[in-house]
Amino acid sequence: MMRVVEAAGRENMAGIKGKMEIKRIENTANRQVTFCKRRNGLLKKAYELSVLCDADVALIIFSGRGRLYEYANNSVKGTIERYMNTRVDSANSELVSQENSQYYLQEASKLRQQIISLQNSNRNLMGEALSTMNMRDLKQLEARLEKGINKIRSKKVHLYVLFQDSECVADIEEDGLEEGASSTNELNLILKFKQKSVLSFPVLVPHHLPKLSE
């Protein structure tokens, strides 16, 4: 019977202890006893953490009366300096990350504008989206197109001269005349090529000519 009562009493005490409210202890003596017990337990846990997990631990405690208690497996000062340096590095990294994000956002915006500008320019070269262009823009576009066409024709002549294709040269001359080409250099190149091709043809002479009768 006594054992049952003792077991019930332990269960009741355990239930009361588990439901203990965390708040300031008003009784000074009880508060001091609880501080000593919890302080020793905290110091023990810090020691175990440093040994078991190879962690760098520093613990600083000030009592209600202002008394200092500390523990460090290496050095409290060294651990605090390491903490401060880590905070500074973390703050600098965060600042650099924000600056990089802003930079990349600005660069992305610039690239989008460039893409839009190139797309509009390409459409203009195709003769599209001309309603928003003024006379000056149209003249500049026309000059760009003429310049590009002249370069293309010069390249065609150059390639035909390299391959010495007389039929292709004739096609160029015919196309240029039909399109009203004003490039005299192109026609001059064609004429020079024709003269060169005529002069470069070998003269075939038979090896055995028949003798003329006297």
Side-chain angles (χ1 to χ4, degrees), residues 17-83:
K17 186 176 180 180
K19 295 180 181 180
M20 181 179 178
E21 185 179 0
I22 302 298
K23 66 177 182 179
R24 184 177 183 271
I25 301 174
E26 298 298 334
N27 186 278
T28 304
N30 293 339
R31 185 167 64 245
Q32 183 64 27
V33 171
T34 302
F35 172 76
C36 292
K37 291 181 178 180
R38 298 294 178 100
R39 178 201 64 197
N40 293 335
L42 186 59
L43 291 172
K44 181 180 179 181
K45 291 296 182 182
Y47 167 76
E48 292 175 352
L49 180 64
S50 64
V51 173
L52 295 175
C53 303
D54 194 21
D56 191 1
V57 178
L59 177 63
I60 300 175
I61 303 173
F62 285 94
S63 67
R65 298 177 181 179
R67 188 173 180 179
L68 172 64
Y69 302 89
E70 64 180 29
Y71 167 79
N73 59 328
N74 291 322
S75 167
V76 173
K77 183 179 179 181
T79 305
I80 293 176
E81 290 178 352
R82 180 180 178 185
Y83 166 76

Side-chain angles (χ1 to χ4, degrees), residues 6-21:
E6 290 177 358
R10 292 194 192 98
E11 290 179 359
N12 292 334
M13 291 297 294
I16 294 172
K17 186 176 180 180
K19 295 180 181 180
M20 181 179 178
E21 185 179 0

